[in-house]
């Protein structure tokens, strides 16, 4: 896209650090949205640069700078960070709060998402995957996004929150609008709808608690033995809704797209269905190469970072896909090595805000892939899917992925 | 040889547990690393080294020689 005009940049940004880059804009000829990030590196963009697009923000391109952005919350805050700026934005608990306040909800949620807790969910996930895959396996085709990747994590969310399966269409609709609508009025109404649903759910769980995550959150007591503020409880539910749906949907879609086009990779996983350790190593590599989310931070005070002057309230985007293919950290970073030995990718972030749902997300993908390959060992892209239909933004992905077998 | 963890750096990625469950586990409260076998046998050395190198937070290290 060519712009006829250039929005002005703030006066603390030197001209040689300005690059015109819009991370929502995926040109029609680009079939994979991660490419727009790698093109920046290929074109020789400065490792830290400023783009006037989307309200103006910084972009970090080096692994170690991105990691520092995640770890150093005294400079890079997670509070009120959206790009383009939306104020006020719901303060997601605990993602949108810096340490030490962040620790309160982190500690409350953590036990429900540990590897141990996730292992206990495995049977339920296997059942969900099996039922869903069986529903279309016989037809020899599907749209992976619509028929599987968007349904599976939403169904998982409902189950974890102790909500009946019948509400799936309603939650799918809420999630779809949240992640896809660009209309400001529709988005505002959607936010109100999501909060209304969360409010109803938490009220019901407060009155009749069960053993689910929503009940645990709503019945928890602080150190003084009081319930947490209602708004914090809603914000916590909002985070879990937002964080666990689209990210899993899009990562799955990337993974299946790769497998559909790579027979050797399908064989690699099929041969390791009964070798959990090797299966996990290969999945980790797919997590590295298919990092779908890029997180935001906000600069807390005027400072110099790696020789660049940052000003208080400047926004920064940390593109995980770029960090994960930094040649100073990863050998042959652009190639997929399903036996890669050392793989310190940042797909789930690092530091105090590391994605708490990462173990659940990975388990959803592992279980789905195992069940899928048992029922549908060979599959390919439908001819009309070659071009893909993708979108950029903070979470990148595909609107559709037609598969055949 | 002995493997040690700096639990203040650990953020619960659990890569160590995935790669070498013979030595590493994670707790049920925060999901942080628990070293179940700090004095690991020599045959596990390669796996332990791999786990150490795969910690995204750099929270693990191998200490040689005398007791810490």
């Amino acid at each position: 896209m060519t712009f006829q005009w250039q929005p002005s940049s703030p006066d603390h940004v030197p001209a040689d650090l300005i690059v015109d880059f819009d991370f929502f804009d995926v040109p029609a000829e680009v079939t994979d949205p991660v490419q727009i990030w790698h093109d920046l590196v290929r074109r020789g963009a400065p490792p830290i640069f400023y783009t006037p697009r989307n309200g103006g923000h910084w972009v970090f391109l080096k692994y170690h700078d991105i990691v520092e952005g995640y770890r150093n919350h005294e400079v890079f805050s997670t509070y009120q960070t959206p790009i383009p700026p939306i104020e006020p934005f719901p303060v997601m608990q605990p993602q949108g709060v810096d340490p030490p306040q962040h620790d309160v909800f982190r500690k409350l949620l953590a036990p429900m998402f540990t590897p141990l807790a996730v292992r206990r969910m495995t049977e339920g996930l296997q059942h969900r995957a099996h039922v869903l895959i069986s529903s279309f396996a016989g037809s020899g085709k599907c749209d992976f996004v619509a028929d599987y990747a968007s349904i599976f994590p939403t169904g998982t969310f409902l189950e974890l929150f102790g909500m009946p399966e019948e509400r799936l269409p309603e939650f799918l609709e809420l999630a779809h609008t949240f992640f896809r609508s660009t209309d400001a009025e529709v988005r505002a109404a959607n936010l109100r709808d999501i909060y209304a649903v969360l409010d109803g759910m938490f009220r019901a769980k407060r009155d009749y608690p069960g053993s689910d995550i929503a009940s645990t959150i709503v019945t928890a007591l602080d150190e003084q033995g009081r319930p947490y503020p209602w708004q914090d409880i809603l914000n916590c539910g909002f985070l879990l809704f937002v964080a666990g749906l689209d990210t899993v949907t899009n990562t799955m879609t990337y993974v299946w797209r790769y497998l559909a086009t790579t027979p050797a990779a399908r064989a690699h996983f099929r041969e390791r269905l009964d070798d959990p350790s090797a299966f996990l190593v290969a999945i980790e590599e797919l997590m590295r190469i298919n990092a779908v989310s890029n997180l935001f931070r906000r600069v807390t005070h005027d400072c110099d970072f790696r020789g660049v002057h940052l000003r208080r309230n400047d926004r920064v985007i940390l593109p995980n896909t770029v960090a994960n293919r930094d040649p100073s950290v990863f050998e042959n970073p652009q190639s997929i090595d399903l036996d890669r030995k050392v793989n310190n990718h940042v797909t789930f972030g690092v530091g105090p805000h590391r994605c708490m749902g990462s173990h659940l997300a990975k388990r959803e993908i592992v279980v789905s892939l195992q069940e899928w390959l048992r029922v549908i060992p060979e599959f390919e892209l439908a001819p009309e899917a070659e071009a893909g239909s993708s979108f950029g933004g903070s979470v990148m992905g595909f609107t559709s992925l037609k598969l055949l077998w | 040889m002995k493997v040690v963890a700096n639990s203040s750096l650990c953020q619960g990625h659990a890569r160590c547990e995935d790669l070498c469950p013979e030595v590493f586990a994670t707790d049920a409260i925060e999901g942080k690393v628990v070293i179940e076998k700090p004095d690991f046998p020599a045959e596990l050395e390669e796996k332990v080294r791999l786990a150490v190198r795969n910690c995204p937070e750099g929270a693990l290290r191998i200490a040689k020689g005398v007791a810490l």
Side-chain angles (χ1 to χ4, degrees):
Chain A
M1 186 180 283
T2 313
F3 292 97
Q4 296 301 310
W5 51 274
Q6 294 291 317
S8 60
S9 298
D11 54 14
H12 69 291
V13 181
D16 60 347
L17 293 186
I18 297 172
V19 176
D20 185 13
F21 173 67
D22 180 352
F23 67 97
F24 288 96
D25 181 25
V26 181
E29 71 275 13
V30 174
T31 52
D32 178 355
V34 307
Q35 216 46 55
I36 61 171
W37 294 97
H38 298 298
D39 283 349
L40 283 170
V41 179
R42 201 172 41 77
R43 280 163 37 204
I48 294 177
F49 72 83
Y50 188 93
T51 171
R53 302 288 157 198
N54 298 303
H57 63 92
W58 295 96
V59 178
F60 290 1
L61 294 178
K62 300 300 289 179
Y63 178 94
H64 294 290
D65 296 347
I66 290 166
V67 163
E68 182 76 4
Y70 283 126
R71 287 211 180 116
N72 189 349
H73 61 86
E74 282 166 10
V75 175
F76 302 104
S77 169
T78 68
Y79 181 71
Q80 297 281 301
T81 59
I83 304 175
I86 305 168
E87 293 190 56
F89 190 71
V91 181
M92 292 191 270
Q93 276 289 2
Q95 170 62 30
V97 188
D98 294 310
Q101 290 85 354
H102 150 271
D103 302 351
V104 175
F105 272 83
R106 181 99 184 176
K107 282 188 172 150
L108 172 61
L109 295 176
M112 298 180 268
F113 294 98
T114 61
L116 193 68
V118 169
R119 277 199 283 276
R120 293 196 184 110
M121 300 174 194
T122 303
E123 221 170 293
L125 295 176
Q126 279 166 341
H127 177 70
R128 175 180 311 288
H130 187 74
V131 169
L132 205 47
I133 294 164
S134 303
S135 73
F136 54 72
S139 68
K141 61 173 187 173
C142 76
D143 180 341
F144 184 72
V145 178
D147 297 333
Y148 193 85
S150 58
I151 299 177
F152 189 83
T154 308
T156 303
F157 175 88
L158 285 181
E159 187 180 327
L160 295 180
F161 274 69
M163 308 284 280
E165 192 84 23
E166 297 82 72
R167 295 191 68 177
L168 187 62
E170 178 194 349
F171 275 79
L172 279 175
E173 182 60 36
L174 287 173
H176 186 83
T177 306
F178 181 81
F179 293 115
R180 299 290 168 266
S181 172
T182 50
D183 182 298
E185 268 180 47
V186 172
R187 289 185 63 87
N190 171 249
L191 266 182
R192 285 196 297 275
D193 291 345
I194 292 173
Y195 269 81
V197 164
L198 292 172
D199 187 83
M201 175 185 78
F202 280 122
R203 280 179 198 282
K205 296 293 174 186
R206 183 183 57 189
D207 297 343
Y208 300 98
S211 57
D212 52 81
I213 286 176
S215 298
T216 306
I217 294 168
V218 79
T219 58
L221 302 175
D222 69 12
E223 284 175 348
Q224 280 78 42
R226 298 168 308 203
Y228 288 101
W230 192 249
Q231 192 60 41
D232 283 343
I233 290 171
L234 294 179
N235 289 342
C236 191
F238 180 65
L239 168 71
L240 295 170
F241 179 78
V242 169
L245 303 188
D246 211 35
T247 50
V248 176
T249 300
N250 294 321
T251 308
M252 276 184 174
T253 309
Y254 263 105
V255 167
W256 262 253
R257 182 174 174 267
Y258 167 68
L259 290 172
T261 52
T262 320
R266 294 196 296 272
H268 186 98
F269 280 102
R270 275 200 313 268
E271 287 157 15
R272 286 161 184 79
L273 280 175
D274 300 315
D275 181 352
S277 165
F279 204 90
L280 287 177
V281 166
I283 284 286
E284 214 59 55
E285 175 70 343
L286 296 189
M287 294 297 106
R288 178 186 74 88
I289 209 78
N290 297 313
V292 298
S293 32
N294 306 303
L295 274 73
F296 309 139
R297 289 294 186 268
R298 179 150 99 158
V299 176
T300 57
H301 57 274
D302 292 12
C303 61
D304 284 320
F305 179 72
R306 312 279 197 252
V308 175
H309 187 61
L310 305 179
R311 191 172 283 173
R312 179 171 178 267
N313 284 335
D314 278 357
R315 257 74 166 188
V316 183
I317 189 164
L318 307 173
N320 294 338
T321 183
V322 180
N324 286 351
R325 301 190 201 184
D326 185 331
S328 70
V329 176
F330 299 93
E331 214 173 302
N332 298 324
Q334 298 287 353
S335 54
I336 299 177
D337 172 4
L338 295 175
D339 293 311
R340 189 177 287 274
K341 293 277 182 267
V342 180
N343 204 340
N344 284 316
H345 66 77
V346 297
T347 296
F348 298 107
V350 288
H353 286 93
R354 179 196 66 86
C355 171
M356 215 185 323
S358 67
H359 305 301
L360 174 59
K362 273 194 270 188
R363 189 56 60 103
E364 288 185 58
I365 292 166
V366 165
V367 163
S368 296
L369 192 51
Q370 288 170 330
E371 294 296 319
W372 183 282
L373 290 174
R374 283 188 183 112
V375 180
I376 308 170
E378 286 294 341
F379 56 102
E380 59 187 354
L381 288 189
E384 71 266 30
E386 293 292 348
S389 47
S390 62
F391 53 89
S394 175
V395 181
M396 302 173 283
F398 297 88
T399 51
S400 161
L401 186 77
K402 302 261 175 64
L403 300 177
L404 292 177
W405 53 90
Chain B
M1 270 187 294
K2 199 177 169 81
V3 61
V4 290
N6 180 342
S7 60
S8 68
L9 292 179
C10 176
Q11 300 291 351
H13 296 256
R15 297 293 312 285
C16 52
E17 187 185 27
D18 282 351
L19 290 162
C20 185
E22 298 90 338
V23 171
F24 304 97
T26 47
D27 72 64
I29 306 298
E30 290 184 272
K32 288 195 178 197
V33 60
V34 176
I35 301 186
E36 295 196 315
K37 215 179 275 180
D39 299 297
F40 57 88
E43 66 264 27
L44 289 175
E45 182 178 338
E46 197 185 330
K47 285 180 90 172
V48 172
R49 285 191 184 281
L50 211 51
V52 169
R53 291 176 69 200
N54 273 287
C55 175
E57 309 288 351
L60 300 172
R61 70 185 172 88
I62 289 178
K64 284 183 182 163
V66 292
L68 293 162

